[in-house]
Amino acid sequence: DRAVIGPVAEGYRAIAPAPVRQGVTNFVFNLREPVTFANEVLQGKPEAAAGTLGRFVINTTLGLAGVFN
């Protein structure tokens, strides 16, 4: 980790401005929403599942694949 991942992460932070890094973070979080939705459905939480589904649909379409949250 220290020999490869650490320097790559430091380089990424040095090169990418904060808004770009936030967009990448939003995109990755958006990818997790279908799993969260399935989990909430299986737990019998329809209100939470509906909110997650709505957030995923809006972020994916209007948020350009979740980049803009």
Side-chain angles (χ1 to χ4, degrees):
D1 285 350
R2 292 179 207 191
V4 177
I5 302 297
V8 169
E10 289 175 17
Y12 172 69
R13 270 186 252 126
I15 293 172
V20 171
R21 292 193 316 265
Q22 186 62 51
V24 170
T25 299
N26 292 343
F27 176 76
V28 172
F29 282 149
N30 193 53
L31 290 177
R32 295 192 303 183
E33 292 292 355
V35 174
T36 302
F37 171 76
N39 185 37
E40 291 168 343
V41 168
L42 292 172
Q43 288 184 23
K45 298 179 179 178
E47 296 86 12
T52 299
L53 179 62
R55 186 172 45 252
F56 177 73
V57 169
I58 289 177
N59 284 342
T60 300
T61 55
L62 299 177
L64 301 173
V67 172
F68 304 105
N69 191 7

